[in-house]
Amino acid sequence: GQQLNQSPQSMFIQEGEDVSMNCTSSSIFNTWLWYKQDPGEGPVLLIALYKAGELTSNGRLTAQFGTTRKDSFLNISASIPSDVGIYFCAGRLQGGSEKLVFGKGTKLTVNP
Amino acid sequence: GAVVSQHPSRVICKSGTSVKIECRSLDFQATTMFWYRQFPKQSLMLMATSNEGSKATYEQGVEKDKFLINHASLTLSTLTVTSAHPEDSSFYICSAEDREGEKLFFGSGTQLSVL
């Protein structure tokens, strides 16, 4: 079953605002990956995290691997209209298989 | 990042026919590929893990005779939806792990519509 809690489920923001979303779990993860999916397309990898406490940026995007290894967040600064889409977190469980566990996604709408 | 090509992007077929979807890793070898199914406004649901040179591992509740997976080479995995029915209509997405097995890259997906 679903082991990741991703929030918020949806966000409506104005262009230029910053955005924050997160994923939490009661389980410990070895890897956190953040993806963006546009309608009718496959998810595109944004950021990959491998160590507790790791903070990684990709342009206006910043993601962190929580120190407890049970959570991760993604921040988008100065949002633009093309940031619209669904953002998914995914994690690989400690001691688990190679399979990724996915969050349910955060749908982001940016009003120009 | 690595490139995963999925084809076709969209297919419409009659009920009872079979449909084959191809997934290729273009610039790297993938010993493991994954097939997902996604319903509208929902997350990705893992269907099966495709291993090069061996049988696929199916998730609970996924019919292996319905969804045939072949991973004949290190760069190609195929998913065949056999005797498709309207309830099989969905968005199917493949993915492949990079060499280090750390990152997962997705294809662009296939929208299957069964009439």
Side-chain angles (χ1 to χ4, degrees):
Chain A
Q2 190 64 259
Q3 296 171 294
L4 283 180
N5 299 308
Q6 184 171 350
S7 66
Q9 187 175 4
S10 61
M11 301 181 74
F12 297 84
I13 63 171
Q14 293 297 125
E15 182 177 359
E17 291 183 355
D18 297 342
V19 171
S20 184
M21 60 191 79
N22 68 82
C23 276
T24 61
S25 175
S26 57
S27 302
I28 294 175
F29 286 79
N30 282 338
T31 303
W32 286 98
L33 304 172
W34 283 93
Y35 291 89
K36 177 176 184 265
Q37 186 178 26
D38 292 328
E41 298 287 333
V44 174
L45 181 63
L46 300 174
I47 293 178
L49 303 163
Y50 305 106
K51 297 179 183 178
E54 180 180 354
L55 183 70
T56 298
S57 294
N58 177 7
R60 295 178 294 106
L61 278 63
T62 302
Q64 185 161 27
F65 194 141
T67 54
T68 64
R69 300 173 66 186
K70 296 181 179 181
D71 62 344
S72 176
F73 71 74
L74 174 71
N75 285 343
I76 305 174
S77 63
S79 59
I80 59 178
S82 62
D83 290 334
V84 165
I86 300 178
Y87 293 79
F88 290 100
C89 65
R92 191 170 279 116
L93 287 164
Q94 178 189 40
S97 70
E98 57 199 349
K99 297 182 293 187
L100 283 179
V101 179
F102 280 86
K104 292 188 176 182
T106 295
K107 183 178 180 180
L108 178 64
T109 301
V110 180
N111 296 315
Chain B
V3 178
V4 176
S5 174
Q6 186 172 343
H7 179 80
S9 59
R10 182 178 294 273
V11 59
I12 301 173
C13 69
K14 292 182 179 179
S15 185
T17 59
S18 294
V19 175
K20 180 186 282 188
I21 303 170
E22 292 188 349
C23 182
R24 295 179 184 273
S25 55
L26 295 186
D27 51 359
F28 66 105
Q29 294 181 332
T31 55
T32 303
M33 291 186 175
F34 301 90
W35 287 94
Y36 294 83
R37 184 172 181 177
Q38 187 177 34
F39 293 102
K41 300 183 180 181
Q42 294 193 20
S43 189
L44 291 83
M45 181 185 76
L46 180 64
M47 298 175 65
T49 302
S50 172
N51 302 295
E52 187 269 336
S54 64
K55 293 182 179 179
T57 304
Y58 290 82
E59 294 300 299
Q60 191 173 9
V62 178
E63 299 176 58
K64 59 181 180 182
D65 295 329
K66 173 75 171 176
F67 300 99
L68 300 179
I69 292 174
N70 186 289
H71 194 154
S73 77
L74 286 172
T75 59
L76 174 64
S77 176
T78 61
L79 169 68
T80 301
V81 183
T82 62
S83 186
H85 290 284
E87 58 265 30
D88 298 324
S89 298
S90 188
F91 192 58
Y92 294 87
I93 316 174
C94 70
S95 66
E97 285 189 327
D98 62 357
R99 275 183 171 271
E100 293 75 27
E102 294 178 335
K103 298 177 182 175
L104 196 64
F105 297 95
F106 286 88
S108 55
T110 298
Q111 182 64 53
L112 172 63
S113 299
V114 185
L115 305 178

